[in-house]
């Protein structure tokens, strides 16, 4: 049990980060307040909760849904979600006959303003190659079995276009508010590796 006079040693990576940060601050290269603002933005304003709000609105507002599918960038910007990694957004809709899956085969292009930082598996070479080569098998291994009569469409995100899947609204949710619906939406459903 650590005592307050002899705290546990920090991990080597943390020690290196602290040392680099200290040098950068000392030399005037790094502004601590700017770093804190960036960290706060990632913790508080970027993440899948943004995309969930967009999806819930599309489920409850047919006019918004039509705008979202016609011009994802503009419709998402109505929520104030735009900027780096979200400059051009394409929204694809899951239906009873079509299931969409998003991947970036080259690296990890991902819509940060609507989904936050990408999960580790999204950047993994195995996901990136198998999503294109054997999407049904990959999805099944991730817990999402797609029936043989459902078409699987794979969308390759790039620096030019990022994709967001509009999942199907779960049955039995007609009485839920937009906020309650947003709470049902997961990051993985907006990538297409999960069905709601």
């Amino acid at each position: 049990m650590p005592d307050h006079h002899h705290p546990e040693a920090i991990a080597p990576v943390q020690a290196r980060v602290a040392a680099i940060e200290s040098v950068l601050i000392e030399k005037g290269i790094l502004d601590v307040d700017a770093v804190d603002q960036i960290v706060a933005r990632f913790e508080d304003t970027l993440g899948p909760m943004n995309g969930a709000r967009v999806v819930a609105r599309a489920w409850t507002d047919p006019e918004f849904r039509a705008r979202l599918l016609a011009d994802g960038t503009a419709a998402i910007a109505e929520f104030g979600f735009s900027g780096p990694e979200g400059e051009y957004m394409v929204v694809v809709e899951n239906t009873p006959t079509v299931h969409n899956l998003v991947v970036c085969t080259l690296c990890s292009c991902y819509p940060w303003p609507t989904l936050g930082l990408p999960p580790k598996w999204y950047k993994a070479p195995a996901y990136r190659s198998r999503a294109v080569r054997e999407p049904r098998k990959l999805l099944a291994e991730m817990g999402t079995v797609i029936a043989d009569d459902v078409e699987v469409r794979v969308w390759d995100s790039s620096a030019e276009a990022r994709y967001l899947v509009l999942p199907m609204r779960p049955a039995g949710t007609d009485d839920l508010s937009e906020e309650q619906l947003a709470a049902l939406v997961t990051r993985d459903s907006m990538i297409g590796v999960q069905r709601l």
Side-chain angles (χ1 to χ4, degrees), residues 80-99:
F81 309 144
S82 61
E85 309 300 323
E87 296 91 346
Y88 182 69
M89 293 291 301
V90 176
V91 178
V92 293
E93 182 178 29
N94 281 353
T95 70
T97 59
V98 175
H99 183 85

Side-chain angles (χ1 to χ4, degrees), residues 21 32 53 57 82 105 107 113 121 126 151 175-176 178 187:
E21 181 181 32
V32 176
R53 288 179 53 206
R57 175 72 52 85
S82 61
T105 57
C107 54
W121 55 261
E151 177 186 357
D175 295 334
L176 297 183
E178 194 172 302
R187 174 200 66 200

Side-chain angles (χ1 to χ4, degrees), residues 60-79:
T60 59
D61 181 342
E63 291 179 7
F64 177 77
R65 181 183 157 279
R67 289 195 309 276
L68 182 66
L69 294 172
D71 184 349
T73 307
I76 290 169
E78 292 176 27
F79 283 84

